[in-house]
Amino acid sequence: MSWIAVARKDFRDAIRSRMFLALAVVFGLFAVAIGGVYGYFDVFRDAGAANQGLILVSFVATPVSLFVTLTAVIIAHKAVVGERANGSLKILLSLPHTRLDVIIGKIVGRSLVLAVPALLSLVVGVGVGAALIGDLAPLPLLALLGAMVVLIVTYVSLMVGLSSMTSSTSLATAGAVGYFVVFELLWGTIGQVILLVRDYNPLDPPNWYFLYQNVPPGSAFNTILGEVLSVLAEAEQTAEQTGAIGQGYDAAYASPWVAAVILLLWIVVPVAIGYWRFSNADL
């Protein structure tokens, strides 16, 4: 259980830094702003709809998850290679820690650093919105908090895996930026271009496009969360507003379980490759 010591040290170092405080403040203001906007402005909500609390959770989830994604990339992509570059990794490995302990400890430590302010901010942000609309949905909020933990672990694992693969901070930064640009910013546009080139109607895409859409972890997360919220919805109207999963696709694989498998692969594969590279690296 040596990875626990690594994770504890990583978390303690982070909460002593100004970055952690700044992260908590920014997260808090961001979540409160989104919840407040939904609760205050009628243009963002249907005042007559049922289950406003559940729709509020769905409204807050998307922008906050994108913000979590960007933050995870920033705080985790140098988790291993940064210590390798400044020499502190040799000191860490001189203690009774294996290289696998370092990777797992970094994933747990950086996930906690991000999860604490993110979850607290979500609770406050949804609470502000719920106070304005007079409707709080506890179960959807708990579902969102649980899903957010999974999303954070996914992105932190991806970035720590990338950090373990690379031998310099420049390569790690280039890889993180490249990942974010391709999978988080351009993936949807690339998909639309592919549909047009292959003479498909973008409004009526083929079944394989469901898989394509869910390749980025953020998209897979939204698919799973949307399905969970749909199940929790009590009224059909609310279920439609939270988003029906796989709608328009006639294939057995157009289900949230496929998105869950994709999300699991994003957690496991980069870490496995990173560990393989890191375990054979000459430090």
Side-chain angles (χ1 to χ4, degrees):
M1 303 296 280
S2 183
W3 62 266
I4 295 178
V6 178
R8 186 183 296 123
K9 179 183 180 303
D10 207 48
F11 183 70
R12 285 177 177 171
D13 291 345
I15 61 176
R16 290 170 184 158
S17 69
R18 293 181 180 178
M19 181 194 71
F20 184 80
L21 180 60
L23 194 61
V25 171
V26 171
F27 257 119
L29 294 176
F30 188 62
V32 167
I34 296 171
V37 163
Y38 180 84
Y40 186 78
F41 295 101
D42 288 342
V43 69
F44 291 105
R45 62 189 175 95
D46 181 357
N51 290 331
Q52 282 288 337
L54 189 148
I55 303 173
L56 165 65
V57 170
S58 178
F59 184 84
V60 173
T62 300
V64 171
S65 63
L66 180 60
F67 194 61
V68 163
T69 300
L70 179 60
T71 309
V73 171
I74 292 172
I75 70 169
H77 77 280
K78 293 183 182 177
V80 176
V81 75
E83 293 207 25
R84 183 175 174 177
N86 63 29
S88 59
L89 189 60
K90 289 184 178 179
I91 299 174
L92 189 62
L93 291 174
S94 68
L95 301 172
H97 304 308
T98 66
R99 298 190 184 195
L100 183 59
D101 292 330
V102 172
I103 292 177
I104 295 176
K106 290 292 182 183
I107 292 173
V108 176
R110 299 295 163 115
S111 295
L112 286 173
V113 169
L114 186 52
V116 171
L119 299 187
L120 289 176
S121 300
L122 276 174
V123 171
V124 175
V126 172
V128 169
L132 291 172
I133 64 176
D135 187 3
L136 175 64
L139 283 180
L141 176 58
L142 289 175
L144 174 60
L145 296 179
M148 194 59 65
V149 170
V150 174
L151 184 70
I152 290 170
V153 172
T154 301
Y155 277 104
V156 171
S157 298
L158 171 59
M159 287 299 117
V160 171
L162 175 65
S163 186
S164 305
M165 296 177 205
T166 52
S167 57
S168 72
T169 55
S170 299
L171 286 175
T173 300
V177 171
Y179 162 81
F180 193 83
V181 170
V182 173
F183 287 99
E184 301 297 335
L185 298 181
L186 298 180
W187 193 255
T189 302
I190 294 172
Q192 294 295 306
V193 171
I194 293 173
L195 289 177
L196 292 173
V197 169
R198 301 196 61 181
D199 292 331
Y200 287 114
N201 181 357
L203 298 179
D204 186 21
N207 289 329
W208 58 261
Y209 198 66
F210 176 84
L211 292 177
Y212 178 88
Q213 281 181 307
N214 283 282
V215 167
S219 300
F221 163 80
N222 288 328
T223 296
I224 297 168
L225 180 62
E227 175 66 11
V228 172
L229 294 181
S230 295
V231 170
L232 292 174
E234 296 178 357
E236 182 178 352
Q237 180 184 12
T238 305
E240 290 175 356
Q241 291 180 12
T242 53
I245 306 306
Q247 190 174 27
Y249 296 100
D250 183 19
Y253 56 77
S255 78
W257 291 106
V258 173
V261 171
I262 292 173
L263 210 57
L264 181 63
L265 291 175
W266 276 110
I267 296 175
V268 174
V269 174
V271 172
I273 297 174
Y275 173 65
W276 173 69
R277 293 271 299 172
F278 185 49
S279 61
N280 293 291
D282 182 10
L283 303 179

